[in-house]
Amino acid sequence: MGSPRISEQLPPLLDSTKAPVAFGNRALPRLSMDLQDPRLYIRQRALAALCDLVHDPERAYETIQKDSLEILKVLLKDEDAAVRTKTTEVLYLLATHNVGREAFLRYNVVGPLSDLLDEPVDACRRNMHRALKMVAEFPAGAACIVAHNLVHNLVEKVTMESVDIRALLLGTLSCCVQVNAIPALQSNGVAILREQLASESLAIRRAAASAMVGISVPIEGKQRVCEENVLPVLVRLLSDKDPEVSASAAGTIMNTAVITRGKYQALEAGAIPPLLGLVKSDIRAVSANALRALTCLAEAPPARLDLLEHLPLLRTRLSHPEPIIQRAAETAIHVISWKP
Amino acid sequence: MTSVLQPHKGDPNGTYTFSSRPRPVQNRSKYRELVADQDDGPPNYGNIMYDRRVVRGNTYAQHILPTTCQPDPVEIQRQLEARRRTQARKRAKEHFRPRTPEPLEGRKHMNVQTELYLEELGDRVEESSVECQTDAFLDKPATPLFKPAKTGRDVTTQIEEGELFNFDMEVRPLLEVLVGKTMEQSLLEVMEEEELASLRGQQRAFLELRNAELVEVQRLEEQERRHREEKERRLRQQRDVLDRERETADKIAARAFAQQYLADLVPSVFSSLRDHGFFYDPVERDLETDFLPWLMTEVSEALEKHSAARTVLDMLIKDVAGQRLKLYQPVMD
């Protein structure tokens, strides 16, 4: 019987792909019971409902409290691809919360998650990489990933994956490389990253450039960068339209130019004019990195001669409000005007 | 006339039923007879409407008979008094009613009609009979539909379009829910992403600082290293030069000394050679090397023979002495 007055109750959820969620604090125990059910469609529906619930931080905390992570780890190895995809999505959503990230470390979820690196289904792999990137973005997580010796596998996968997953992978790599760059170097990371620097996708370029910055921090990294002739590519990237990419390129140059070989290679590649252009930029990262790159390059006598002419430009930067840029400009001027 | 039948004793419901069988109307006289003439006919007849046993009216203020058969003496007295009072009142009324005076002696009252026209008073009632007969049934036409007379006012009502259901009004809550939920959901998503973006922004700012410090440190290290190496190289060079100079000086000194030392080398060599017997007389040497050893060997051979003979002799003596001892031993004991 219809009446024109609309009922106060919520309409019944008619989505048959989701399990109905029980009320209050029975929801999660019920769902975790469903997740262990041998019937496939019940597991799928429970996972879909869990996906929706886990957006709420309190529910995420409850899920972790009830030790559902163990169940999810088991489900990662399930035969059905839809179940695996949804499980990885739930894990990704858990990783967006801080409690989730800590729980990942406590319950050692990174191991089973990384077993899915060879997963045939694209969506599942994408979610897995998203979750991994989320974990890598905070320092303990990146250390955990490095400890699991995953960097080697990740570097291998870079060339094989499709574009969007590659961007995620490179993001993960750039975070791991900041913790410890040695494994990436050992897996021939510099060469692979150099290829990715020339990619057309902006996200890939950004991620590859930031990974390059991290990789060029240790001494072997700098030497490898010089050996692989990455510097011409970097100099070309200095004139890239995206400020992040050019900032990262300037950062890599400044790291590499610390060793003598790097200095001379950079000078050969003609790094000074673009760097001078970047010094005037408004974005703090770009301008600071460019100033420091010039500082490093100025240790070499030929560069110093060149830069002596451009001292006024650098002096304008001294009055910049940001203290970082002021300091960088001071050191640059100091180094350039140094006489032995 | 109706009659009251006894109620059925076996009535299942226990309800009161009343029924009377139909009776023809009885002949009765025009004028009422005295009550004494009438025989008592069928017992217990009467009009139910006027039957005192039937309870009429409200039942909550009834004069209910007491359950005990024994009537209350007070009640009895009250009733008696009431009856006496009514009788007294009736008598009093009778008393005051005006009556015709009594006839005088020798006279009798006679009823006389005083109207203009005399009326025959008789018992016989004048009767006239009237007949009535219905006509044979005629075919009646169908009774027309009973249309009661029209009373009151005519009123019509009609539901226009849009009166029961006004779309704009009804759709508003639906829309509110839809739009509200969508906004809520999108706000949540945006908040999540913003949170992540702000975290990443903080991280990036920190990373820039860190990179700056790192590269500064490395550069300064590098610089230090280079300077140090440069210094070391220069020092080493200097030291090399000094070393070489010293070496040459040493060499010169050594040469001078050697020359001087070797000046009287030749005569001393010859003298030491002579001391060691490198210049020798051959005959003397021959004697020394051949003759004297042969002589010594011969001498020693001879001596050996002597000593061997002596040893043999010693053995002989010892042997004999031993035999003798053995022989004479038991004699001595």
Side-chain angles (χ1 to χ4, degrees), chain A residues 4 55 137 217 222 258 299, chain B residues 200 203 218 222-223 226:
Chain A
H55 280 276
E137 273 180 358
V217 164
K222 296 192 230 277
V258 170
E299 303 270 336
Chain B
R200 284 201 192 111
Q203 251 190 352
Q218 283 185 342
E222 209 31 56
Q223 209 186 36
R226 268 180 307 117

Side-chain angles (χ1 to χ4, degrees), chain B residues 196-242:
Chain B
L196 285 174
S198 74
L199 281 174
R200 284 201 192 111
Q202 268 186 350
Q203 251 190 352
R204 218 175 307 142
F206 169 72
L207 274 178
E208 283 174 28
L209 270 174
R210 178 181 171 269
N211 280 349
E213 302 309 316
L214 208 60
V215 93
E216 271 301 303
V217 161
Q218 283 185 342
R219 191 185 62 83
L220 286 172
E221 256 182 39
E222 209 31 56
Q223 209 186 36
E224 266 306 303
R225 193 184 60 87
R226 268 180 307 117
H227 286 194
R228 207 180 339 118
E229 274 188 17
E230 196 57 39
K231 247 186 281 182
E232 294 235 324
R233 210 173 342 119
R234 299 263 172 89
L235 280 174
R236 218 180 309 130
Q237 252 178 4
Q238 202 69 2
R239 222 179 292 129
D240 280 347
V241 160
L242 281 173

Side-chain angles (χ1 to χ4, degrees), chain A residues 7-51:
Chain A
S7 150
E8 285 281 329
Q9 295 169 336
L10 292 174
L13 274 181
L14 292 174
D15 194 354
S16 66
T17 57
K18 286 198 214 148
V21 174
F23 183 75
N25 62 355
R26 281 299 305 161
L28 281 167
R30 176 82 215 208
L31 279 177
S32 58
M33 224 168 63
D34 280 346
L35 282 174
Q36 293 166 321
D37 198 289
R39 285 169 290 185
L40 180 64
Y41 72 96
I42 292 201
R43 269 180 286 163
Q44 285 175 340
R45 283 170 43 145
L47 272 173
L50 193 61
C51 263

